Amino acid sequence: MNEYRIKGLSCAGCAQRIEDEMKQLEHGEDTTISYNSGKLKVNPDISMPEVNRILKSDGAYISEQLNKQINTHDHQHEGHDHDHEHSHEHDHEHGDGNKMLKLLITSGVIYIAAILLDGVLANWSVIILYLAATVISGYTTFFRGLKNLTKLKFNIDTLMTIALIGAIAIGEWKEATLVAILFGLNELLEGYGMEKARRSMEVLLQVAPKEAIKLANGQENIVPISSLQVGDLVKIKPGEKIPSDGVVLEGKSSVNEAAITGESLPLEKETGEPVFGGSINNEGLLIVRIEKAYNDSSLAKILHLVQEAQETKTPTELFINKFAKYYTPLIMIVAALVTLVPPLLFQGSWTTWLYQGLSVLIVGCPCALILSSPIAIVSGITRNAKNGILVKGGVFLEQLGKIDTLAFDKTGTLTKGEPHVAQLENYDQERFLQVAGAIEKSSSHPLAKAIMKELADRNITAPDPDEIETITGRGIRAIVKGEPYWLGNEKSIEHITIPEPIQKQINLFKNDGLTLVVVADEHQVLGIFGIADEVRPESKSVIASLHKLGIKDTVMLTGDHQKTAEKIASAVGVTRFFGGLLPEDKVNHIKDLSSKGIVAMIGDGINDAPALASAQLGIAMGKGTDSAIETADIVLMQDHLGKLPAAVSVAKRVNRVIRFNIIVALGLKIIALLLTIPGWLTLWIAILSDMGATIFVTLVSLTILIEGNKEKI
């Protein structure tokens, strides 16, 4: 499929009409147009002159082709051409908007002149002025509407065209002109509103660097990032963006990863540490080895997901679009009844009730209703993406705002997933820590790392062991300085009798949910490590914030034993917890919770994939891991839960705004329609109610983009 950027789409309904027309073309059955993102996807074999003709009929045009093949050996010329094209597109877009604005201003001036000259000039002269103003501001709508009428297609343009013809037919020149001007202004402002939301998204997508300094054979070459391969070395100067995911080979610097994680504070990076494409190198010089080609990088996947998210339609949007499809013909029937029933049955004036019927047509325009959702959805996705929260589509954003139950994995989600020594008992001051260090120093086991970190914090240097032997299911036997020692669980010290005080301490550690590592010689216990998974510092406040946001049930699901689960659950404040669970047990719990409410599951996206898939909404965390991005519906790019309440808050706000917009759009129309009963509805009231509702819902939707110091609950 070829993909194009479209400019000049006047409304969501018009975009749908264009899509329907293109689908009638040869090879056009797979054509899609997204009003939200302004994109057109067509079969490469479709007739592009015909596509352009259909677009032109609505005043739209192709501004650029998005899926161009990049010629790597001609990148410098291409980069120049791309900038020129972007500049031309920018000028074209502004030119279109400015042209429409100038036409409306000209039309407005002529309209005012006609009003002032009414009674001064001959009547036919004033009519010509009104007609000129109407043609200048409304000719595109008029021609589109006539075309629709010949095909018996009824949409916004059709309604406006019938209203204009009817108003002119009964001699209401002044009001016919006002309808044309205000409808043109309405379309202009509607387009500006959607474009504002799109531009906010486009600014977000501009974080990707275009070029990189590649090091090869002692030479530096500027190459496009698309040409970078795994293993290439790149040089990143202070202030430059890192081109793709990699590892620091040389240098030390602070790096701003806000583009990936939404975190504003920079992180210190040095040799051996990973970096993400799109991050900004602050002050030092870095040499980075590329670990992923750009197309496979975290940044590329993020940008692709964000772009795709704009193009999905929520259940609310789909309902509104379906509703509008039947709503427009219904309004025409109502207008016909308003026009015909009073004169035929109640001796009403044909002119008066034709005028009222025309007003009903204008009130019935579904512009505001159709716009109730898309701008709010795009704004919400953009707002969350700026915070490092990837929502894969509007449907998931809408769902996030409706959840009442949130299930958490424990390890790596509520806890850091890194064991640390929580407590220790030392029964032999000289040997305990040194022997433990000697045995564990060469091990890569997480428990060994926790013990070695504790020794490092205490500045203890351990000797090298003489021999090491692993005993499966128990621990390690080692010879240190010629003496035998054992390190491991309780089973590893079955060769000695444990004194009652030490056994009591072991039981206390176990009751606290700690993992035991015991060190002993041939005759006695030298000491005990009580190791635990450290609770993330933000977990408790995050759970409290989620409860305030209306999440009634927070549930922790873990494979750890019940005592450990109880301790962590108490520390973080979840409402319920379940321990000792296998992956299939987690799935069963999620299904049970889903039968009672709307459930989101949050985990690391690897071990929790089945549970994430079983929940109505899967949320993965972790700094852009491939599995997290691929598995979940929503991805927290940070390595913590801190941004989760903000994401829920934005989602709830989007849902509130959509509901509010629908109420306003329909409410204003109902009020205006009720004015037909006493015969008070006029064309200018009708167009102002429709225009006012459209502008109002657009502005309300755009407020979602405004960053506040704190999200309102």
Side-chain angles (χ1 to χ4, degrees):
M1 297 290 282
N2 286 341
E3 190 174 12
Y4 301 90
R5 174 80 66 197
I6 303 298
K7 298 292 181 184
L9 290 172
S10 55
C11 66
C14 303
Q16 185 62 54
R17 179 187 61 77
I18 292 172
E19 181 182 303
D20 291 341
E21 282 195 43
M22 289 184 184
K23 283 184 174 180
Q24 302 304 313
L25 299 175
E26 188 176 2
H27 306 297
E29 57 275 2
D30 297 325
T31 299
T32 60
I33 291 182
S34 170
Y35 178 63
N36 290 9
S37 60
K39 286 183 185 176
L40 165 68
K41 292 180 182 178
V42 294
N43 188 305
D45 296 326
I46 200 170
S47 168
M48 289 310 294
E50 283 297 301
V51 168
N52 286 319
R53 178 187 62 76
I54 293 170
L55 287 170
K56 190 176 179 182
S57 71
D58 193 64
Y61 59 92
I62 292 173
S63 67
E64 62 173 326
Q65 186 170 350
L66 297 175
N67 56 351
K68 293 176 182 173
Q69 294 297 317
I70 296 174
N71 188 338
T72 56
H73 63 74
D74 197 23
H75 65 274
Q76 289 178 323
H77 293 293
E78 185 189 60
H80 176 76
D81 291 343
H82 176 77
D83 292 341
H84 175 75
E85 181 187 64
H86 180 76
S87 173
H88 175 70
E89 171 201 325
H90 191 68
D91 292 342
H92 192 171
E93 180 189 324
H94 271 287
D96 263 23
N98 290 335
K99 178 185 175 184
M100 186 62 186
L101 185 60
K102 287 174 182 175
L103 287 174
L104 287 172
I105 291 172
T106 303
S107 183
V109 169
I110 295 172
Y111 177 65
I112 293 170
I115 292 173
L116 295 175
L117 295 172
D118 195 0
V120 177
L121 296 179
N123 192 44
W124 62 269
S125 302
V126 176
I127 289 174
I128 288 174
L129 289 176
Y130 281 131
L131 187 59
T134 303
V135 169
I136 291 171
S137 59
Y139 70 94
T140 54
T141 301
F142 185 74
F143 286 124
R144 289 198 303 260
L146 280 181
K147 185 178 177 183
N148 289 341
L149 272 174
T150 60
K151 296 180 179 180
L152 295 179
K153 286 186 177 179
F154 302 104
N155 63 5
I156 298 164
D157 297 323
T158 315
L159 296 182
M160 282 295 134
T161 299
I162 293 172
L164 282 174
I165 293 171
I168 290 171
I170 61 174
E172 293 289 346
W173 293 98
K174 185 189 296 184
E175 297 201 22
T177 307
L178 183 61
V179 166
I181 293 172
L182 290 180
F183 186 71
L185 181 60
N186 188 43
E187 282 201 323
L188 181 68
L189 294 175
E190 181 182 324
Y192 276 152
M194 195 67 225
E195 198 57 42
K196 169 68 177 173
R198 288 191 197 122
R199 281 185 189 170
S200 178
M201 182 68 79
E202 285 170 4
V203 167
L204 178 71
L205 299 177
Q206 287 169 3
V207 297
K210 301 292 186 294
E211 298 173 329
I213 302 173
K214 181 180 174 181
L215 303 178
N217 302 319
Q219 300 291 319
E220 294 182 5
N221 296 302
I222 297 176
V223 299
I225 61 169
S226 59
S227 69
L228 292 176
Q229 301 295 321
V230 175
D232 286 349
L233 301 184
V234 293
K235 180 179 181 181
I236 299 105
K237 297 177 182 178
E240 290 184 348
K241 291 177 182 176
I242 295 168
S244 190
D245 296 0
V247 173
V248 177
L249 279 190
E250 295 178 26
K252 184 176 180 181
S253 178
S254 64
V255 173
N256 185 342
E257 294 184 345
I260 305 296
T261 66
E263 303 281 20
S264 57
L265 294 177
L267 297 174
E268 293 296 325
K269 299 287 183 179
E270 54 187 32
T271 303
E273 295 195 340
V275 289
F276 295 104
S279 305
I280 299 172
N281 178 24
N282 285 336
E283 67 277 335
L285 184 68
L286 294 177
I287 306 297
V288 172
R289 183 180 68 240
I290 298 300
E291 296 291 310
K292 291 181 181 178
Y294 173 70
N295 287 339
D296 297 323
S297 70
S298 301
L299 178 63
K301 289 184 178 180
I302 289 168
L303 300 186
H304 178 67
L305 286 174
V306 171
Q307 287 175 312
E308 278 192 339
Q310 295 180 82
E311 297 169 24
T312 61
K313 289 184 178 179
T314 69
T316 303
E317 275 187 280
L318 293 170
F319 172 76
I320 289 172
N321 289 342
K322 190 174 182 180
F323 177 73
K325 183 179 178 180
Y326 297 102
Y327 167 85
T328 304
L330 179 64
I331 283 294
M332 296 192 72
I333 293 170
V334 171
L337 291 174
V338 168
T339 302
L340 299 173
V341 170
L344 290 176
L345 300 182
F346 304 104
Q347 289 77 50
S349 165
W350 280 101
T351 303
T352 300
W353 287 102
L354 176 58
Y355 180 85
Q356 291 288 303
L358 296 174
S359 300
V360 168
L361 282 181
I362 295 172
V363 168
C365 282
C367 295
L369 187 63
I370 291 171
L371 268 188
S372 296
S373 181
I375 297 179
I377 290 291
V378 172
S379 298
I381 291 171
T382 304
R383 177 73 181 278
N384 274 329
K386 285 180 178 177
N387 286 330
I389 300 155
L390 301 184
V391 183
K392 292 188 179 179
V395 62
F396 304 123
L397 183 69
E398 193 172 278
Q399 191 83 320
L400 181 62
K402 295 177 180 177
I403 60 170
D404 51 34
T405 302
L406 191 51
F408 297 86
D409 171 50
K410 178 186 76 69
T411 306
T413 304
L414 293 171
T415 65
K416 291 183 177 179
E418 298 174 1
H420 77 292
V421 176
Q423 296 183 49
L424 65 79
E425 286 293 324
N426 191 340
Y427 302 116
D428 189 317
Q429 297 293 334
E430 290 184 10
R431 294 186 294 164
F432 171 48
L433 295 177
Q434 283 206 344
V435 168
I439 296 173
E440 297 284 46
K441 68 189 306 182
S442 60
S443 174
S444 60
H445 193 282
L447 296 182
K449 289 181 178 179
I451 290 171
M452 293 310 297
K453 185 177 185 303
E454 180 69 18
L455 267 60
D457 292 343
R458 293 170 179 259
N459 296 316
I460 291 173
T461 304
D464 291 328
D466 301 327
E467 293 180 23
I468 288 281
E469 178 190 354
T470 300
I471 305 170
T472 305
R474 293 170 180 262
I476 298 171
R477 181 183 180 276
I479 304 295
V480 180
K481 294 182 180 180
E483 296 291 328
Y485 294 96
W486 286 260
L487 178 147
N489 56 30
E490 286 179 88
K491 292 181 181 178
S492 70
I493 56 170
E494 287 179 345
H495 62 282
I496 62 175
T497 302
I498 302 173
E500 188 177 338
I502 294 178
Q503 186 62 57
K504 187 177 180 181
Q505 188 60 57
I506 288 173
N507 292 338
L508 284 173
F509 276 15
K510 287 164 71 175
N511 288 337
D512 285 341
L514 300 176
T515 299
L516 298 183
V517 176
V518 184
V519 180
D521 63 12
E522 287 183 293
H523 309 290
Q524 65 182 28
V525 174
L526 304 183
I528 310 167
F529 293 99
I531 298 177
D533 189 0
E534 190 174 357
V535 175
R536 291 181 181 273
E538 75 281 353
S539 292
K540 186 173 183 178
S541 61
V542 165
I543 298 296
S545 297
L546 290 170
H547 287 159
K548 287 181 182 177
L549 282 165
I551 309 296
K552 297 174 184 177
D553 203 6
T554 49
V555 184
M556 186 181 77
L557 306 175
T558 178
D560 279 355
H561 55 76
Q562 201 71 4
K563 285 289 182 182
T564 302
E566 184 179 359
K567 184 179 179 182
I568 299 297
S570 175
V572 301
V574 293
T575 53
R576 289 191 286 162
F577 67 92
F578 299 93
L581 302 179
L582 296 172
E584 56 266 31
D585 297 326
K586 291 184 180 182
V587 171
N588 291 333
H589 277 288
I590 290 295
K591 288 180 178 177
D592 181 56
L593 292 169
S594 299
S595 67
K596 301 168 186 173
I598 302 174
V599 180
M601 168 72 187
I602 178 165
D604 59 17
I606 304 170
N607 301 326
D608 301 305
L612 288 172
S614 298
Q616 281 107 323
L617 196 65
I619 305 174
M621 59 183 297
K623 289 188 177 180
T625 59
D626 292 344
S627 55
I629 291 176
E630 290 165 7
T631 305
D633 306 314
I634 296 173
V635 183
L636 308 182
M637 297 307 296
Q638 312 83 24
D639 196 28
H640 59 77
L641 294 171
K643 303 274 185 171
L644 182 58
V648 174
S649 181
V650 168
K652 285 182 174 292
R653 187 176 172 191
V654 167
N655 287 351
R656 285 197 303 270
V657 164
I658 291 172
R659 284 195 300 269
F660 179 73
N661 285 347
I662 292 171
I663 291 168
V664 168
L666 290 177
L668 285 176
K669 292 184 186 306
I670 291 169
I671 291 169
L673 289 173
L674 289 174
L675 293 177
T676 59
I677 297 172
W680 295 347
L681 183 61
T682 62
L683 286 175
W684 67 269
I685 289 178
I687 191 65
L688 280 177
S689 70
D690 179 63
M691 176 182 166
T694 304
I695 295 170
F696 186 71
V697 300
T698 299
L699 293 177
V700 170
S701 296
L702 289 174
T703 62
I704 294 169
L705 290 170
I706 300 171
E707 296 275 355
N709 293 328
K710 186 178 180 181
E711 286 294 342
K712 291 182 180 179
I713 292 171

